[in-house]
Each structure stands twice: as structure tokens, then as C-alpha cells.
Amino acid sequence: MYRTKKRFVEEGLKVALAEGKRTGQPKLLSANEDATLVSIACSEPPDRRARWTLSLIADRLITLTELESVSLETVRQRLKNNELKPWQKKMWCIGELDSDFIAQMEEVLDIYAMPADEKHPVVNFDEAMKQLVSHVKPPKLASPGHLAKDDYEYPREDVANIYLMYDRHRGWRHAKATATKKREDFAACMRDLVDVHYPDADKIH
């Protein structure tokens, strides 16, 4: 609205109502060309390349079809519409579903299915190592129209450990940070769990 008003004041009604030139939508691919693009993205990248890029996919598509050119934006949109991200990879651990795995899994599920009992609380216990980092460049605070920014570079100063206890029935949780991750730290958490947090329990699961 502001730009239209500005054009009207400076150049008159005719100019204000006139549409400027637009770049238009990227060229549409045929069904076969689209299928070829998808098959390229799902294949192994070229030799000495760790992954597909938009430019590599576009070049390969031109080689395998009768297209004389294709924009990177067309490639990007077609990948997006097909929910493909060939430059990403996820690591996943798939356990062997043998009898031993299933027996242990069922034991864990049986514990989670136990009813609430003050004398037999069910508590999750986990730990995580965390890096303690500092800034190479000072972060930029948020301002109107701009998000806060942190530079991706950082020096690693040290590491620390976090233990977390969580009662699955009460919703109670307790976190403890330690400078090290040793047997003594683990034993101290177990002592606190028994003597401080659940002194009246007969057995903690």
C-alpha cells in the first residue's frame, strides 16, 4: 500500500495502478523429467562427491533429458515438493529383534506399566555430557526486524555432566550437574535418590 501510494504521489494514477514486470514461476517439468530428477536425487552422488547439490542435480538432469537448461530454483522446488533433501543424512540404530532383545524390552515395559505406589516408585535416571563453550565473536542482540545472532564458531573451554532423575508417576524431576562423570558421581546420585529423595521407599525401580 505504501509503495502504491508513493507511486501515485510521485508519478500519477496510471503508473500507480500498473503492475511491474515479474519473474514468473520457474519452468514446470514434465512427469518424466520430474521422475528423472527424483531418481537422480535418490541415487549415489558422483565420484569424489559426498552429496548431491542443486547444481549437480541440474547438470545431471540436463544430461539425461532433452532440457536445454533448468534453474536451480526449479530443482529446489521439485525436491521440496517431493520432500527430498539429498544433502542430509540421519544416523539411526536399529536393534536386532531377537528373543533376548524382546525379553529385555518387555521387562522395561512391565516396569513402566506398574501402578503408582509410594513404596515402589518408578524413576528414570539418565546422564548427558555437555560442552562448555565461549564466544569467538560477541553475540548480536535482537532488534526490531532482526533475530538475535550467535556466530557458529566457538572455542571449547571444558566439559561437564548432568544427571537427571524423573518420577514417571509424580512428574517430579531433579537435575544435578557435576564437573566429572565418574563412578563416585554416579554413586553420590544413587545415595541422594535413596536417602534424600525417597527415604521411605521399600524399593526404587
Side-chain angles (χ1 to χ4, degrees):
M1 291 176 64
Y2 170 80
R3 290 194 298 268
T4 302
K5 183 175 68 174
K6 185 173 183 292
R7 290 199 302 269
F8 171 69
V9 172
E10 294 179 351
E11 304 178 59
L13 179 62
K14 186 176 180 179
V15 175
L17 296 179
E19 287 279 359
K21 291 185 178 180
R22 298 185 178 184
T23 57
Q25 292 291 328
K27 180 181 178 181
L28 296 178
L29 301 179
S30 67
N32 288 339
E33 292 165 346
D34 189 61
T36 303
L37 187 151
V38 171
S39 65
I40 294 171
C42 294
S43 65
E44 291 292 329
D47 291 340
R48 298 186 179 183
R49 294 282 188 166
R51 58 184 177 84
W52 285 104
T53 65
L54 296 180
S55 297
L56 287 173
I57 294 175
D59 292 342
R60 181 63 62 85
L61 183 62
I62 292 173
T63 302
L64 297 178
T65 64
E66 296 182 357
L67 290 170
E68 295 182 359
S69 65
V70 60
S71 70
L72 299 184
E73 178 62 17
T74 296
V75 175
R76 187 193 69 80
Q77 284 196 7
R78 297 314 304 149
L79 293 175
K80 180 180 179 182
N81 290 343
N82 286 284
E83 298 183 2
L84 282 173
K85 297 179 181 179
W87 45 86
Q88 290 187 1
K89 181 183 292 185
K90 291 184 178 181
M91 301 295 290
W92 194 257
C93 178
I94 303 175
E96 293 292 333
L97 296 179
D98 55 16
S99 58
D100 183 58
F101 179 91
I102 294 174
Q104 294 187 48
M105 178 184 68
E106 289 178 345
E107 182 179 356
V108 173
L109 295 177
D110 287 341
I111 293 175
Y112 278 119
M114 292 174 59
D117 185 347
E118 293 183 359
K119 294 296 183 179
H120 292 264
V122 177
V123 181
N124 289 83
F125 185 83
D126 204 353
E127 60 188 2
M129 291 293 293
K130 296 296 180 181
Q131 295 188 88
L132 305 179
V133 301
S134 60
H135 293 289
V136 173
K137 301 175 183 177
K140 295 183 179 181
L141 300 178
S143 61
H146 299 279
L147 298 174
K149 295 180 180 179
D150 282 338
D151 192 86
Y152 69 92
E153 291 188 75
Y154 60 84
R156 173 172 165 171
E157 304 292 351
D158 206 344
V159 294
N161 192 60
I162 300 176
Y163 292 101
L164 179 66
M165 310 171 194
Y166 173 68
D167 188 314
R168 58 117 43 274
H169 288 114
R170 292 195 297 135
W172 169 84
R173 59 181 59 83
H174 177 73
K176 181 179 182 179
T178 59
T180 58
K181 181 184 175 182
K182 298 181 178 180
R183 291 178 296 178
E184 293 82 358
D185 301 314
F186 179 87
C189 286
M190 293 296 100
R191 180 190 59 201
D192 292 345
L193 185 64
V194 174
D195 296 341
V196 177
H197 304 302
Y198 292 92
D200 299 325
D202 292 336
K203 182 177 181 180
I204 301 173
H205 299 269

